[in-house]
Amino acid sequence: VGFVGAMGILGILTFGFCFVGSISFTSFSLYVCQLEKPGERSGSFYRHCLLLFSVLLTLAGMAQLMLGAFIFSNFGSGPLSKPIEVAMFTVVFPEISMTVGIVYLLNGLHGAFRAVVPVRVEGDDNAFQYGMWFQYVCTLVLMIHVQVFYGDQGVLAGVASSRAALTFPAFVLPAYLEFKTRTVSEVLSENVYGIESKRGGTCSVDLQPETRMV
């Protein structure tokens, strides 16, 4: 029970950080846009963010993989007579949990590798994005639909939509960050977005021909 609970807590922390982190990332990006400091969102910034979320992906994969392996070794293969519910995870088929965990683990390691190792890939190299897309398909079909709807003849079906929403940032944000590391320069000029600083440290943006916001 303690090990299953620990894996559930690890799942909550990883998916929770991805969910809250995606909201914070968007909010602070808008804030930096309002401050008109484009240099703070250089390629180096996106690379560090990619490393953080890749580590979270790796931990989420480890949680699912170890949970599935533990249940498989103690209760056998699926379908289980009664689903095991712990936090973000519903386990009816331990094999599915291990499979989805491996997908998360490989994508997390791939993202961390691209964030750490200075390998310059082409701008149209979307291998990581394809991997993340496959991960979310596995999440929706295997982790959520099969495990949740099969368990207790669909009694737990109400949690499917919330889990789909909570796991979505773990798919879309790393894919976006990896793309930005390939397309944004390490050092950005002050007027990279056509914003020019004025004297006194303030900037202005032309919204309409006769409208200005300071």
Side-chain angles (χ1 to χ4, degrees):
V1 176
F3 182 83
V4 173
M7 294 302 100
I9 293 174
L10 183 58
I12 290 177
L13 291 176
T14 52
F15 285 109
F17 271 117
C18 286
F19 186 81
V20 176
S22 65
I23 299 175
S24 301
F25 176 84
T26 305
S27 300
F28 281 104
S29 295
L30 293 174
Y31 177 68
V32 171
C33 179
Q34 291 178 340
L35 293 181
E36 299 169 1
K37 296 181 179 180
E40 295 187 3
R41 292 296 185 268
S42 62
S44 177
F45 168 82
Y46 290 111
R47 184 169 289 106
H48 285 86
C49 290
L50 174 62
L51 178 60
L52 171 62
F53 283 93
S54 296
V55 171
L56 293 175
L57 274 184
T58 304
L59 293 176
M62 290 177 59
Q64 295 183 77
L65 176 59
M66 292 189 293
L67 177 63
F70 178 83
I71 294 175
F72 182 83
S73 63
N74 287 273
F75 300 96
S77 61
L80 302 178
S81 58
K82 186 175 181 58
I84 297 178
E85 281 280 329
V86 53
M88 290 286 299
F89 308 124
T90 300
V91 181
V92 179
F93 297 89
E95 303 92 331
I96 290 180
S97 295
M98 290 188 287
T99 301
V100 176
I102 291 174
V103 173
Y104 272 78
L105 183 62
L106 293 177
N107 277 335
L109 293 176
H110 186 194
F113 176 81
R114 290 208 172 194
V116 174
V117 179
V119 177
R120 190 65 182 178
V121 296
E122 297 296 330
D124 57 352
D125 179 11
N126 297 317
F128 184 75
Q129 282 70 28
Y130 293 139
M132 297 302 297
W133 175 250
F134 178 72
Q135 169 188 305
Y136 198 60
V137 170
C138 290
T139 301
L140 289 178
V141 177
L142 299 177
M143 175 183 167
I144 297 178
H145 282 80
V146 175
Q147 300 269 53
V148 172
F149 284 98
Y150 191 94
D152 283 350
Q153 291 75 45
V155 175
L156 302 173
V159 305
S161 58
S162 61
R163 290 188 183 177
L166 290 173
T167 56
F168 184 73
F171 148 69
V172 68
L173 192 57
Y176 170 78
L177 293 173
E178 194 279 332
F179 174 77
K180 297 295 284 187
T181 61
R182 293 186 281 112
T183 56
V184 178
S185 302
E186 291 294 321
V187 179
L188 299 178
S189 61
E190 288 295 330
N191 61 345
V192 62
Y193 296 117
I195 301 174
E196 297 183 357
S197 298
K198 288 189 172 184
R199 294 180 180 179
T202 60
C203 301
S204 62
V205 183
D206 284 330
L207 300 178
Q208 295 178 358
E210 298 181 358
T211 304
R212 300 182 71 85
M213 179 178 65
V214 179

